[in-house]
Amino acid sequence: ARIRVKNYLPPLTLEVYEKAGQCYKLVDAKSLTAGVNVIGIKSTYNKKLPGMLPPSPEMQGMDAIEYKIKANQHVSITYKEEMFRSQYNQTIATRSSSFIPEVGHDYDIYPVNSGVNIVDLTSSNHAPKSWGNEDKECNYKTGLLGGRNYY
């Protein structure tokens, strides 16, 4: 499967989940968008894969990075959004969309207000295959460094 990601703020993260008993555990996470350095210059610009379907209308003319990802796995695309900031604290919400990439399919992925749009360019209805209703992440407690301790 191939994905095309809008290369802009907020930075998007690809999370990969694997089945563990009755639930799913996060096993890998990687940033999909280019790092922005101190003076605001992106370190990576358009990265294209040969043969990928043309972008959806929302992605035309956008700076994007294309990736190959493994099909038939449970993935989630996330970003962090600052909801509130004061002198003493800030509130950060995680926005995400989950899907199961299918073999030979191409996807456009871009952040929208309070979420992430995933467009399946290969299927006629443009809807990606979603996780089943029974597919849930395993219970975890957040560790000191923000890691997930499953139990």
Side-chain angles (χ1 to χ4, degrees), residues 75-94:
V75 299
S76 191
I77 307 288
T78 67
Y79 71 89
K80 304 251 187 270
E81 180 180 16
E82 186 176 82
M83 303 299 295
F84 170 81
R85 175 190 282 260
S86 73
Q87 188 178 345
Y88 302 107
N89 59 17
Q90 60 179 5
T91 308
I92 296 196
T94 299

Side-chain angles (χ1 to χ4, degrees), residues 75 97-102 105-109 116-123 125-131:
V75 299
S97 282
S98 302
F99 75 116
I100 300 172
E102 296 181 79
H105 282 225
D106 290 345
Y107 300 88
D108 270 358
I109 300 174
V116 179
N117 265 6
I118 300 171
V119 180
D120 186 339
L121 300 169
T122 310
S123 77
N125 68 352
H126 297 307
K129 183 176 173 189
S130 53
W131 291 30

Side-chain angles (χ1 to χ4, degrees), residues 37-147:
N37 69 19
V38 183
I39 47 177
I41 298 170
K42 283 188 264 189
S43 55
T44 311
Y45 285 92
N46 290 344
K47 189 182 129 206
K48 301 275 184 239
L49 292 176
M52 190 156 176
L53 289 171
S56 56
E58 298 83 1
M59 291 282 285
Q60 276 166 8
M62 291 287 176
D63 185 14
I65 303 181
E66 296 175 1
Y67 296 92
K68 259 189 148 83
I69 61 170
K70 202 170 104 191
N72 299 320
Q73 60 183 356
H74 283 59
V75 299
S76 191
I77 307 288
T78 67
Y79 71 89
K80 304 251 187 270
E81 180 180 16
E82 186 176 82
M83 303 299 295
F84 170 81
R85 175 190 282 260
S86 73
Q87 188 178 345
Y88 302 107
N89 59 17
Q90 60 179 5
T91 308
I92 296 196
T94 299
R95 309 294 186 193
S96 69
S97 282
S98 302
F99 75 116
I100 300 172
E102 296 181 79
V103 176
H105 282 225
D106 290 345
Y107 300 88
D108 270 358
I109 300 174
Y110 53 93
V112 289
N113 200 10
S114 303
V116 179
N117 265 6
I118 300 171
V119 180
D120 186 339
L121 300 169
T122 310
S123 77
S124 53
N125 68 352
H126 297 307
K129 183 176 173 189
S130 53
W131 291 30
N133 290 336
E134 68 289 342
D135 296 345
K136 301 275 183 260
E137 185 174 358
C138 302
N139 293 325
Y140 65 90
K141 288 191 165 107
T142 304
L144 290 174
L145 300 174

